[in-house]
Amino acid sequence: MRTVPALLTAAVLATACAPSTQGPAAAPAPAPSASQDAAFDLAALVAAAKAEGSVTVYDSSGDIEDVAKAFTAKYGIQMEGVKSDSPETAEKMIREHAAGNVTIDATMYEDGGVLVGQLLPQQIVHTWIPGDLAKDIPPENQNPLMALAKATIFAYNTKLSPDGCPAKNVWDLTEPEWRGKVVMQDPLGKPTVLSFFTQLDAHGNQALEQAYQARYGKPLETKEKSAAYEWIKRLSANQPVLTGSDEDISGAVGAPTAKDSKIGFMSISKFRNNEEKGYTQAACTGMQPFAGFSYPKYAAIATKSKHPNAAKLFVHFIMTEEGVKHEIAEGGVSGNSTVKPLVVPEGLKDWKSELFHTDSAKLLADFQNRQVVSDFWRINHG
């Protein structure tokens, strides 16, 4: 089982174990606002970045390698893109900051809770908005700066279920017929799934209650704190198969050798396996009350970066279609409203209405409540 690195565990325990009703004095300091140059000059930034010579960016997706190639080709500045899970990236940036020996100049970071609860308040990183693009970035995407949003989708095998997704409602997945047949990443090692759980409790309870009423014909009755916690309890107790990678999920669900119908809870990017590997998988479109969830990926710059201008130029690049297309080519949306989605995964008809969406204003609460929901999952899955 993958676990959160020690430094992050200590930080989470120090804040998240406290009840969500705690007073302001017990909460982490608020994250500073994103900065913006008073007078932005792209040509001057390019020149300054070239003088620095290189830039290194960590990202949880291997797509960063393609971004790096495009960045280097465009500007002649050597960019190294490194694939690294969010917890490992955070721990490395914390250690480098403390030692004053920073090698990671910027990060594409998907764990918003740790970003606003630790990295930004402790000034390990900061976010910066390109002045010439500010008008194209909606206010809700500016603090912290959301570079793009990806999604985790409920998916099924179209060959084994030719009439459509065999699960029509998220509560179906808590029923005996789906015991041991939901395949997903272990939430204890996947920050975006933990955030999904806490966000559900923050602003998804009404939708879950309505879906329950539609499924069972009666109102939900629960001894748990909310509909979200009741659904999490039932899902975890139904013994989902936990993996360490979305690739494993995709293989279990959509591979040509698959014999049993399963529901996968996997990254939007794995739909590429249909073309590359001959898989037969599609999104559970129409599933009530959502077919999955979207989560932001934020762009942040190391405060002690030795290549601050090159890092800023990278942020500018990723906020344009030319840069972000390498990250959203298999599904996703840019934080820049003028950049249109390039592709929608098979079966998912509408990104906005069919997904549950992360609210960036609730990221600090995600951080504070993470240990609570982690323990709740662990107890019920055990």
Side-chain angles (χ1 to χ4, degrees):
M1 181 192 306
R2 295 172 56 222
T3 57
V4 179
L7 282 173
L8 295 184
T9 301
V12 170
L13 288 173
T15 56
C17 287
S20 59
T21 54
Q22 64 190 29
S33 299
S35 64
Q36 186 176 154
D37 296 337
F40 180 77
D41 185 333
L42 181 57
L45 179 62
V46 171
K50 287 184 174 181
E52 292 171 352
S54 66
V55 64
T56 298
V57 181
Y58 275 45
D59 188 349
S60 56
S61 169
D63 295 333
I64 192 64
E65 296 174 6
D66 293 327
V67 177
K69 292 176 183 177
F71 180 90
T72 298
K74 180 176 178 65
Y75 295 112
I77 300 168
Q78 184 61 42
M79 174 179 161
E80 181 181 8
V82 179
K83 184 179 187 295
S84 171
D85 289 343
S86 295
E88 286 73 22
T89 297
E91 182 165 22
K92 184 173 175 61
M93 295 189 83
I94 291 167
R95 292 187 184 280
E96 289 188 349
H97 181 85
N101 183 25
V102 172
T103 65
I104 304 173
D105 297 301
T107 178
M108 293 284 285
Y109 199 72
E110 65 183 26
D111 188 350
V114 168
L115 181 65
V116 304
Q118 184 175 16
L119 299 182
L120 284 168
Q122 294 182 10
Q123 299 182 25
I124 294 163
V125 301
H126 68 276
T127 53
W128 171 81
I129 300 171
D132 60 333
L133 302 177
K135 67 182 184 304
D136 300 325
I137 304 171
E140 63 269 22
N141 294 349
Q142 291 195 11
N143 191 34
L145 178 63
M146 189 190 94
L148 60 108
K150 299 297 285 283
T152 294
I153 305 290
F154 289 111
Y156 72 102
N157 188 309
T158 58
K159 183 178 179 181
L160 297 176
S161 302
D163 296 328
C165 184
K168 309 300 183 185
N169 188 306
V170 296
W171 291 99
D172 290 348
L173 305 179
T174 69
E175 289 294 313
E177 65 185 287
W178 289 104
R179 185 175 179 83
K181 293 185 177 182
V182 176
V183 190
M184 60 187 289
Q185 282 214 45
D186 184 350
L188 302 182
K190 188 66 174 176
T192 55
V193 177
L194 289 179
S195 178
F196 167 57
F197 289 163
T198 54
Q199 290 266 332
L200 267 182
D201 185 46
H203 65 103
N205 286 306
Q206 183 178 4
L208 284 172
E209 290 169 3
Q210 291 172 346
Y212 185 93
Q213 176 79 43
R215 171 67 172 78
Y216 298 102
K218 60 182 180 179
L220 172 67
E221 294 183 6
T222 178
K223 295 180 180 179
E224 302 302 334
K225 63 172 292 192
S226 66
Y229 270 78
E230 181 65 29
W231 181 74
I232 293 166
K233 180 179 74 174
R234 295 190 189 190
L235 178 67
S236 58
N238 215 27
Q239 294 298 302
V241 178
L242 305 182
T243 76
S245 75
D246 288 304
E247 189 64 33
D248 289 342
I249 301 170
S250 180
V253 172
T257 55
K259 303 298 182 184
D260 298 322
S261 181
K262 294 183 175 66
I263 297 294
F265 198 36
M266 66 187 191
S267 169
I268 205 170
S269 66
K270 295 307 171 181
F271 286 91
R272 66 186 174 213
N273 286 336
N274 285 9
E275 180 177 348
E276 295 179 0
K277 297 183 177 182
Y279 285 13
T280 52
Q281 55 194 7
C284 284
T285 185
M287 179 181 276
Q288 295 300 312
F290 43 72
F293 71 95
S294 73
Y295 58 89
K297 185 177 285 190
Y298 303 95
I301 298 171
T303 304
K304 295 182 180 180
S305 167
K306 296 180 176 63
H307 311 102
N309 292 296
K312 283 185 174 182
L313 186 59
F314 161 76
V315 172
H316 186 278
F317 186 63
I318 204 67
M319 295 307 299
T320 66
E321 181 176 1
E322 186 176 9
V324 79
K325 68 181 181 181
H326 306 283
E327 291 261 0
I328 64 173
E330 292 153 353
V333 296
S334 171
N336 182 332
S337 61
T338 68
V339 178
K340 303 306 178 185
L342 302 180
V343 66
V344 175
E346 183 175 348
L348 187 67
K349 297 177 181 178
D350 184 73
W351 177 279
K352 186 175 181 179
S353 67
E354 291 198 78
L355 299 177
F356 178 83
H357 298 283
T358 298
D359 182 352
S360 292
K362 295 178 171 61
L363 292 176
L364 185 56
D366 288 346
F367 184 70
Q368 294 168 328
N369 295 322
R370 178 168 299 178
Q371 193 63 37
V372 174
V373 77
S374 295
D375 291 343
F376 188 73
W377 174 272
R378 183 184 292 109
I379 290 169
N380 287 286
H381 186 264

